[in-house]
């Protein structure tokens, strides 16, 4: 696994350098749906990452946001987001954007690397080896009081199966008088999820994301001591669209609060 981890780190850093070379330039927006658009740098970063994976691990599967998946029927799949946080990257509204790369064995992430180049933060986790930010071990917050929780909260992407209006019922429960202190949304999943692993945020909830939005952050959070499930409370797997992560005690309280 060390070989896979080091490989993921190197290509994440290289892709992050590409992002920063193009940062600060307004790009032509390619709208897909009202909750999702792309820019040219998304594609450039994706091609860089895919090319490196095909060169080094030609029999592995590859799944990413920009290009159709490559299925070689391998037990190993690279699940990548070449630019998570396209909105904050394009409009320069925050430093919540980065490159997310995960190696998944069957349905479980075993390597996770997320590089946030504007923040200068490299998050790395390997199954059974702990989670680190810039080589310093991370641990989730041990806050157990729901009323004191700062939570990353993402409405997610609207799909044929999921309409964002459905989020209202969860917001209502989470923000009730017995609910969390503050919801925080940054149009990016990977960086807030890493901040949960680091202990800066106490929890993160999203209802409708893609595998590449979450896979690397899932193993990073698990190795930092978080419980990571879908919204129904089942252990998160690669096909899940929702995610809930927090320390185990707080996680149970949050699921109870939102009625799941």
């Amino acid at each position: 696994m060390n070989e896979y981890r080091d490989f993921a780190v190197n290509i994440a850093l290289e892709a992050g350098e590409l992002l920063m070379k193009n940062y600060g330039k307004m790009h032509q927006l390619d709208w897909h749906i009202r909750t999702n658009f792309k820019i040219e740098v998304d594609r450039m970063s994706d091609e860089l990452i895919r090319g490196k994976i095909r060169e080094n691990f030609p029999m592995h599967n590859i799944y990413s946001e920009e290009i159709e998946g490559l299925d070689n029927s391998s037990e190993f799949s690279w699940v990548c987001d070449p630019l998570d946080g396209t909105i904050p990257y394009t409009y320069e509204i925050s430093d919540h954007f980065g490159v997310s790369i995960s190696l998944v064995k069957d349905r479980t992430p075993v390597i996770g690397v997320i590089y946030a180049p504007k923040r200068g933060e490299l998050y790395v986790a390997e199954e059974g080896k702990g989670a680190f930010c810039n080589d310093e071990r991370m641990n989730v917050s041990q806050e157990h009081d729901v009323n004191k929780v700062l939570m990353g909260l993402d409405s997610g992407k609207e799909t044929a199966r999921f309409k964002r209006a459905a989020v209202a019922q969860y917001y209502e429960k989470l923000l009730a008088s017995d609910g969390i202190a503050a919801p925080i949304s940054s149009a990016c999943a990977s960086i807030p999820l890493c901040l949960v692993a680091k202990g800066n945020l106490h929890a993160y909830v999203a209802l409708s994301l893609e595998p590449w939005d979450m896979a690397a952050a899932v193993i990073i959070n698990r190795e930092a001591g978080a419980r990571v499930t879908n919204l129904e409370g089942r252990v998160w797997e690669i096909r899940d669209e929702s995610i809930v992560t927090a320390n185990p005690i707080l996680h149970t309280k949050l699921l109870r609060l939102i009625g799941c």
Side-chain angles (χ1 to χ4, degrees), residues 1-10 57 111 126 129:
M1 284 296 163
N2 288 346
E3 177 189 5
Y4 296 144
R5 181 199 62 212
D6 294 346
F7 170 77
V9 166
N10 289 334
F57 307 107
I111 298 286
E126 179 182 346
K129 299 290 184 65

Side-chain angles (χ1 to χ4, degrees), residues 1-2 30 32-33 39 56 65-66 74 77 85-86 102 107 124 171 178 182 198 253-254:
M1 284 296 163
N2 288 346
D30 179 15
H32 292 249
I33 57 176
I39 57 177
N56 288 272
E65 187 168 17
E66 307 311 317
S74 171
S77 299
T86 304
S102 178
R107 297 185 181 183
V124 181
Y171 273 75
D178 60 344
K198 197 177 179 183
K253 292 182 176 181
L254 290 172

